[in-house]
Short mmCIF file of all heavy atoms in Angstrom, two decimals:
data_model
loop_
_atom_site.label_atom_id
_atom_site.label_comp_id
_atom_site.label_asym_id
_atom_site.label_seq_id
_atom_site.Cartn_x
_atom_site.Cartn_y
_atom_site.Cartn_z
N ALA O 29 79.78 67.15 -38.55
CA ALA O 29 79.54 66.13 -37.55
C ALA O 29 80.84 65.57 -36.99
O ALA O 29 80.95 65.24 -35.79
CB ALA O 29 78.71 65.01 -38.13
N ALA O 30 81.88 65.51 -37.82
CA ALA O 30 83.14 64.94 -37.38
C ALA O 30 83.88 65.85 -36.43
O ALA O 30 84.64 65.37 -35.59
CB ALA O 30 84.03 64.65 -38.59
N HIS O 31 83.63 67.13 -36.49
CA HIS O 31 84.38 68.09 -35.67
C HIS O 31 83.57 68.67 -34.53
O HIS O 31 84.09 69.43 -33.73
CB HIS O 31 84.95 69.19 -36.54
CG HIS O 31 86.09 68.69 -37.45
ND1 HIS O 31 86.01 68.77 -38.80
CD2 HIS O 31 87.27 68.14 -37.12
CE1 HIS O 31 87.14 68.26 -39.30
NE2 HIS O 31 87.90 67.87 -38.30
N ALA O 32 82.28 68.36 -34.47
CA ALA O 32 81.46 68.85 -33.37
C ALA O 32 81.57 67.93 -32.19
O ALA O 32 81.40 66.71 -32.30
CB ALA O 32 80.01 68.95 -33.82
N ASN O 33 81.91 68.47 -31.03
CA ASN O 33 82.04 67.69 -29.81
C ASN O 33 80.91 68.10 -28.86
O ASN O 33 80.94 69.16 -28.28
CB ASN O 33 83.39 67.92 -29.14
CG ASN O 33 84.54 67.50 -30.04
OD1 ASN O 33 84.95 66.36 -30.03
ND2 ASN O 33 85.07 68.44 -30.82
N ALA O 34 79.92 67.22 -28.72
CA ALA O 34 78.79 67.51 -27.85
C ALA O 34 79.09 67.04 -26.45
O ALA O 34 79.39 65.88 -26.23
CB ALA O 34 77.52 66.84 -28.37
N THR O 35 79.07 67.96 -25.52
CA THR O 35 79.35 67.62 -24.13
C THR O 35 78.24 68.14 -23.23
O THR O 35 77.68 69.19 -23.50
CB THR O 35 80.68 68.24 -23.65
OG1 THR O 35 80.64 69.65 -23.89
CG2 THR O 35 81.87 67.64 -24.41
N PRO O 36 77.92 67.41 -22.17
CA PRO O 36 76.91 67.88 -21.22
C PRO O 36 77.39 69.17 -20.57
O PRO O 36 78.57 69.36 -20.33
CB PRO O 36 76.81 66.76 -20.20
CG PRO O 36 77.44 65.60 -20.82
CD PRO O 36 78.43 66.10 -21.79
N HIS O 37 76.47 70.06 -20.27
CA HIS O 37 76.84 71.33 -19.67
C HIS O 37 77.45 71.15 -18.29
O HIS O 37 78.46 71.71 -17.96
CB HIS O 37 75.61 72.23 -19.59
CG HIS O 37 75.95 73.66 -19.40
ND1 HIS O 37 76.62 74.14 -18.31
CD2 HIS O 37 75.71 74.76 -20.17
CE1 HIS O 37 76.77 75.45 -18.43
NE2 HIS O 37 76.25 75.84 -19.54
N SER O 38 76.81 70.33 -17.48
CA SER O 38 77.35 70.03 -16.17
C SER O 38 77.94 68.64 -16.21
O SER O 38 77.21 67.68 -16.35
CB SER O 38 76.27 70.14 -15.08
OG SER O 38 75.19 69.31 -15.43
N VAL O 39 79.23 68.57 -16.08
CA VAL O 39 79.89 67.29 -16.24
C VAL O 39 80.01 66.59 -14.90
O VAL O 39 80.68 67.06 -13.98
CB VAL O 39 81.29 67.48 -16.83
CG1 VAL O 39 81.99 66.11 -16.94
CG2 VAL O 39 81.18 68.12 -18.19
N HIS O 40 79.29 65.49 -14.78
CA HIS O 40 79.44 64.65 -13.59
C HIS O 40 80.01 63.34 -14.05
O HIS O 40 79.37 62.60 -14.80
CB HIS O 40 78.13 64.41 -12.88
CG HIS O 40 77.51 65.69 -12.39
ND1 HIS O 40 78.02 66.36 -11.30
CD2 HIS O 40 76.48 66.42 -12.82
CE1 HIS O 40 77.29 67.45 -11.11
NE2 HIS O 40 76.34 67.51 -12.01
N ARG O 41 81.21 63.06 -13.67
CA ARG O 41 81.83 61.83 -14.12
C ARG O 41 81.23 60.65 -13.39
O ARG O 41 81.43 60.47 -12.19
CB ARG O 41 83.34 61.90 -13.85
CG ARG O 41 84.10 60.75 -14.48
CD ARG O 41 85.59 61.03 -14.39
NE ARG O 41 86.07 61.68 -15.60
CZ ARG O 41 86.53 61.04 -16.65
NH1 ARG O 41 86.56 59.74 -16.65
NH2 ARG O 41 86.94 61.68 -17.70
N VAL O 42 80.47 59.86 -14.08
CA VAL O 42 79.78 58.70 -13.48
C VAL O 42 80.64 57.47 -13.70
O VAL O 42 80.84 57.04 -14.82
CB VAL O 42 78.38 58.53 -14.08
CG1 VAL O 42 77.72 57.32 -13.45
CG2 VAL O 42 77.56 59.78 -13.87
N THR O 43 81.12 56.92 -12.63
CA THR O 43 81.87 55.70 -12.74
C THR O 43 81.07 54.55 -12.16
O THR O 43 80.14 54.76 -11.38
CB THR O 43 83.21 55.80 -12.00
OG1 THR O 43 82.94 56.18 -10.63
CG2 THR O 43 84.09 56.85 -12.62
N GLY O 44 81.40 53.36 -12.50
CA GLY O 44 80.72 52.21 -11.94
C GLY O 44 79.55 51.79 -12.80
O GLY O 44 79.66 51.76 -14.01
N THR O 45 78.45 51.49 -12.18
CA THR O 45 77.33 50.89 -12.90
C THR O 45 76.59 51.90 -13.73
O THR O 45 75.85 51.54 -14.64
CB THR O 45 76.36 50.24 -11.92
OG1 THR O 45 75.94 51.22 -10.97
CG2 THR O 45 77.01 49.09 -11.21
N GLY O 46 76.75 53.18 -13.44
CA GLY O 46 76.09 54.20 -14.23
C GLY O 46 74.60 54.22 -14.04
O GLY O 46 73.84 54.47 -14.96
N THR O 47 74.16 53.98 -12.81
CA THR O 47 72.73 54.00 -12.54
C THR O 47 72.20 55.40 -12.32
O THR O 47 71.01 55.60 -12.32
CB THR O 47 72.41 53.14 -11.30
OG1 THR O 47 73.25 53.54 -10.25
CG2 THR O 47 72.63 51.66 -11.60
N ALA O 48 73.09 56.34 -12.11
CA ALA O 48 72.66 57.69 -11.82
C ALA O 48 72.21 58.35 -13.11
O ALA O 48 73.00 58.71 -13.96
CB ALA O 48 73.81 58.48 -11.19
N LEU O 49 70.92 58.45 -13.28
CA LEU O 49 70.38 59.15 -14.41
C LEU O 49 70.34 60.63 -14.16
O LEU O 49 69.71 61.10 -13.23
CB LEU O 49 68.97 58.64 -14.74
CG LEU O 49 68.88 57.25 -15.33
CD1 LEU O 49 67.41 56.85 -15.49
CD2 LEU O 49 69.57 57.21 -16.69
N GLN O 50 71.06 61.37 -15.00
CA GLN O 50 71.03 62.80 -14.80
C GLN O 50 69.68 63.31 -15.31
O GLN O 50 69.19 62.90 -16.33
CB GLN O 50 72.14 63.45 -15.59
CG GLN O 50 73.53 63.09 -15.06
CD GLN O 50 74.61 63.80 -15.84
OE1 GLN O 50 74.47 64.94 -16.18
NE2 GLN O 50 75.70 63.11 -16.10
N PRO O 51 69.12 64.23 -14.56
CA PRO O 51 67.93 64.93 -15.05
C PRO O 51 68.32 65.61 -16.34
O PRO O 51 69.05 65.15 -16.95
CB PRO O 51 67.59 65.93 -13.98
CG PRO O 51 68.57 65.73 -12.86
CD PRO O 51 69.57 64.68 -13.28
N THR O 52 67.94 66.61 -16.75
CA THR O 52 68.35 67.14 -18.04
C THR O 52 69.64 67.92 -17.97
O THR O 52 69.74 68.87 -17.24
CB THR O 52 67.25 68.08 -18.57
OG1 THR O 52 66.79 68.80 -17.45
CG2 THR O 52 66.15 67.32 -19.24
N ALA O 53 70.62 67.39 -18.65
CA ALA O 53 71.87 68.12 -18.75
C ALA O 53 71.88 68.88 -20.06
O ALA O 53 71.59 68.34 -21.13
CB ALA O 53 73.04 67.14 -18.72
N ALA O 54 72.18 70.13 -19.97
CA ALA O 54 72.22 70.96 -21.16
C ALA O 54 73.34 70.50 -22.07
O ALA O 54 74.31 69.86 -21.64
CB ALA O 54 72.41 72.42 -20.79
N ARG O 55 73.21 70.79 -23.31
CA ARG O 55 74.21 70.35 -24.27
C ARG O 55 75.04 71.52 -24.76
O ARG O 55 74.54 72.61 -25.00
CB ARG O 55 73.50 69.70 -25.47
CG ARG O 55 74.43 69.18 -26.50
CD ARG O 55 73.69 68.44 -27.58
NE ARG O 55 72.69 69.30 -28.19
CZ ARG O 55 71.74 68.85 -29.03
NH1 ARG O 55 71.69 67.58 -29.33
NH2 ARG O 55 70.88 69.70 -29.54
N ARG O 56 76.32 71.25 -24.86
CA ARG O 56 77.21 72.25 -25.42
C ARG O 56 77.93 71.62 -26.62
O ARG O 56 78.46 70.52 -26.49
CB ARG O 56 78.25 72.70 -24.39
CG ARG O 56 77.68 73.41 -23.21
CD ARG O 56 78.76 73.80 -22.24
NE ARG O 56 79.56 74.88 -22.74
CZ ARG O 56 80.70 75.31 -22.19
NH1 ARG O 56 81.17 74.68 -21.16
NH2 ARG O 56 81.36 76.32 -22.70
N ILE O 57 77.96 72.38 -27.68
CA ILE O 57 78.71 71.93 -28.84
C ILE O 57 80.02 72.70 -28.89
O ILE O 57 80.02 73.95 -28.91
CB ILE O 57 77.92 72.15 -30.12
CG1 ILE O 57 76.55 71.47 -30.04
CG2 ILE O 57 78.72 71.66 -31.33
CD1 ILE O 57 76.56 69.98 -30.22
N LEU O 58 81.13 71.98 -28.90
CA LEU O 58 82.41 72.64 -28.98
C LEU O 58 83.18 72.13 -30.20
O LEU O 58 83.07 71.00 -30.59
CB LEU O 58 83.25 72.34 -27.73
CG LEU O 58 82.74 72.94 -26.44
CD1 LEU O 58 83.54 72.40 -25.26
CD2 LEU O 58 82.84 74.46 -26.46
N CYS O 59 83.99 73.01 -30.77
CA CYS O 59 84.88 72.58 -31.87
C CYS O 59 86.03 71.81 -31.25
O CYS O 59 86.20 71.74 -30.03
CB CYS O 59 85.38 73.80 -32.62
SG CYS O 59 86.59 74.79 -31.72
N THR O 60 86.82 71.19 -32.09
CA THR O 60 87.90 70.34 -31.60
C THR O 60 88.90 71.16 -30.79
O THR O 60 89.38 70.69 -29.73
CB THR O 60 88.63 69.69 -32.78
OG1 THR O 60 87.64 69.04 -33.60
CG2 THR O 60 89.64 68.66 -32.32
N THR O 61 89.18 72.34 -31.23
CA THR O 61 90.16 73.18 -30.55
C THR O 61 89.66 73.57 -29.16
O THR O 61 90.39 73.43 -28.17
CB THR O 61 90.43 74.45 -31.38
OG1 THR O 61 90.90 74.08 -32.66
CG2 THR O 61 91.46 75.32 -30.68
N CYS O 62 88.45 74.05 -29.08
CA CYS O 62 87.89 74.44 -27.78
C CYS O 62 87.70 73.26 -26.85
O CYS O 62 87.89 73.34 -25.65
CB CYS O 62 86.57 75.20 -27.98
SG CYS O 62 86.77 76.79 -28.81
#
Side-chain angles (χ1 to χ4, degrees):
H31 289 119
N33 298 274
T35 55
H37 197 299
S38 55
V39 178
H40 297 288
R41 188 170 268 269
V42 180
T43 56
T45 56
T47 51
L49 287 175
Q50 294 183 39
T52 39
R55 181 175 57 191
R56 295 179 73 191
I57 305 284
L58 292 172
C59 71
T60 307
T61 302
C62 292

